[in-house]
Amino acid sequence: MGAAVRFQFDARSNTGKASRSVMENNISTLLTEINRAGIAGTALNLSVLSSSQMESGAKERLQDLWRDAHFECNKETNISNCLNDFQGFQVRKIPVTVKPQDPSTYTDPLNRELVISLNKRGIITGVRFAWDLQEDVETMLTSTLVGGVSDTKQRREILKWVEDFRCYYNEKNINALKQIYSDDALIITGSVVTKRTVSGDNNVHLKPEIKYTIQSKDEYIKKLEERIFKNRIKVEFDHISVMSHGAKKGIYGVTLHQKWRAGSYYDEGWLFLLWDFNDPEKPQIHVRTWQPDQAVAKDGVFTLDDFFIP
């Protein structure tokens, strides 16, 4: 297969006032360069896309993704629906074959799908791998009612931001994380500690206890910058559920199961995000909690009901 890749929207697509042909050309140019570099095994030359075709931040994040794994398009012609969201548009289900830079450490599927986001002017704002568990995606995008979020456009927007949020960690995109957490964000991390006691008969008893640590946004970001992001990071999400706040418009609770690897450290647990979408251009996370499975078994997962929202 040659390097040139053509993209076009299907007949169902509604791009509104945005130029369909401009967006199709921008995506085609991007996929062609991805394919050229993927086949040749070389660096991406994203200078082929001008600032009116792809944002600089999107280029930087794609370059970060490319350092770990190259990929190439499986089809010379890709036809996809144009999905509308509050910031612009999404294109999903672009099949690619991944060519990891270090196969010994790569554990994700080799056949994956790209998601491309564009703003209302048709400029590419992000490129990322789609959520691996497609049943979660289909539930989010097609169910008539997900946790009280009946609006398909809103569910798609939430999914997009959750996907971006995961990528920010994998890409070590500290600036994006600084923006997505509100200045007064509350960060709660659970852990299991073993309490040692000695009874009257000198028998030692070990009892696991759940300990919660609270951090401010500044403390959390500083820890990421100075310690955690010095390692190779891999974050995976599955089992997403979303609940809208019964009384507060634009407030959502997002619950996810998370797998986290930083260097040799690995854990699994449940992540809860209290998300404010009242400014659709700049949604903010006010609360982030993480609980290991043992904590969830004992205390249950945090929900919207556990936090006061003024």
Side-chain angles (χ1 to χ4, degrees):
M1 181 176 67
V5 179
R6 178 170 173 259
F7 173 84
Q8 67 183 76
F9 292 118
D10 66 18
R12 300 171 296 165
S13 295
N14 176 18
T15 61
K17 296 181 180 180
S19 172
R20 175 187 293 246
S21 61
V22 166
M23 289 195 287
E24 289 176 336
N25 178 68
N26 291 349
I27 297 172
S28 295
T29 302
L30 172 64
L31 295 180
T32 295
E33 173 54 24
I34 286 174
N35 218 35
R36 181 207 64 78
I39 292 171
T42 62
L44 282 172
N45 177 20
L46 295 180
S47 64
V48 299
L49 290 116
S50 68
S51 59
S52 63
Q53 292 179 293
M54 187 173 185
E55 291 183 346
S56 59
K59 291 182 180 181
E60 291 173 6
R61 294 192 299 274
L62 178 54
Q63 293 285 16
D64 288 338
L65 186 63
W66 196 258
R67 290 189 187 98
D68 288 332
H70 296 180
F71 40 95
E72 58 187 68
C73 297
N74 295 343
K75 298 180 180 179
E76 292 182 350
T77 299
N78 290 267
I79 301 174
S80 182
N81 189 20
C82 178
L83 303 174
N84 292 262
D85 60 34
F86 289 106
Q87 289 190 310
F89 310 95
Q90 287 184 46
V91 172
R92 308 184 70 90
K93 297 185 177 181
I94 299 176
V96 295
T97 298
V98 179
K99 303 165 74 174
Q101 293 298 94
D102 184 356
S104 66
T105 62
Y106 185 83
T107 58
D108 291 323
L110 293 179
N111 294 314
R112 304 194 69 176
E113 294 180 351
L114 288 184
V115 178
I116 299 176
S117 300
L118 306 97
N119 63 22
K120 294 177 180 178
R121 292 179 292 160
I123 299 173
I124 296 169
T125 58
V127 181
R128 61 190 181 277
F129 287 131
W131 198 292
D132 292 334
L133 294 181
Q134 287 302 306
E135 61 266 29
D136 283 346
V137 174
E138 293 302 317
T139 298
M140 278 290 293
L141 297 183
T142 63
S143 176
T144 57
L145 185 66
V146 179
V149 188
S150 57
D151 184 82
T152 302
K153 190 175 181 180
Q154 183 63 71
R155 293 201 304 271
R156 187 185 303 125
E157 186 75 3
I158 293 170
L159 179 63
K160 169 191 174 296
W161 280 101
V162 169
E163 288 182 324
D164 282 346
F165 179 68
R166 175 179 61 89
C167 290
Y168 294 159
Y169 283 93
N170 290 332
E171 297 163 1
K172 304 180 185 179
N173 190 338
I174 200 72
N175 289 329
L177 290 170
K178 287 179 179 178
Q179 292 178 28
I180 207 165
Y181 284 109
S182 67
D183 289 340
D184 60 352
L186 178 66
I187 316 293
I188 301 175
T189 304
S191 60
V192 180
V193 296
T194 302
K195 184 177 181 180
R196 181 178 182 274
T197 60
V198 180
S199 61
D201 56 3
N202 289 326
N203 288 323
V204 176
H205 301 275
L206 302 178
K207 181 182 179 182
E209 293 187 351
I210 309 302
K211 177 183 177 182
Y212 289 99
T213 302
I214 298 176
Q215 300 175 78
S216 67
K217 171 186 174 177
D218 289 342
E219 290 171 333
Y220 178 69
I221 293 295
K222 183 178 180 181
K223 183 178 179 181
L224 289 177
E225 286 185 295
E226 295 183 356
R227 291 175 49 193
I228 297 175
F229 278 2
K230 293 187 181 297
N231 301 291
R232 178 185 175 88
I233 304 295
K234 182 177 180 182
V235 178
E236 298 176 84
F237 292 156
D238 55 40
H239 302 303
I240 183 173
S241 63
V242 180
M243 179 65 69
S244 61
H245 194 282
K248 301 290 184 179
K249 181 181 177 182
I251 302 297
Y252 299 91
V254 179
T255 304
L256 304 146
H257 187 257
Q258 175 183 272
K259 297 177 182 178
W260 173 282
R261 187 180 300 278
S264 60
Y265 175 80
Y266 176 83
D267 64 34
E268 292 188 30
W270 290 89
L271 191 69
F272 170 77
L273 305 169
L274 194 161
W275 222 314
D276 183 346
F277 276 87
N278 279 292
D279 181 354
E281 297 290 331
K282 189 181 178 182
Q284 297 263 278
I285 295 172
H286 294 302
V287 177
R288 177 192 188 274
T289 73
W290 182 82
Q291 299 166 275
D293 291 337
Q294 284 178 269
V296 170
K298 179 178 182 294
D299 301 329
V301 182
F302 283 110
T303 70
L304 283 172
D305 296 333
D306 293 305
F307 301 96
F308 172 73
I309 303 168

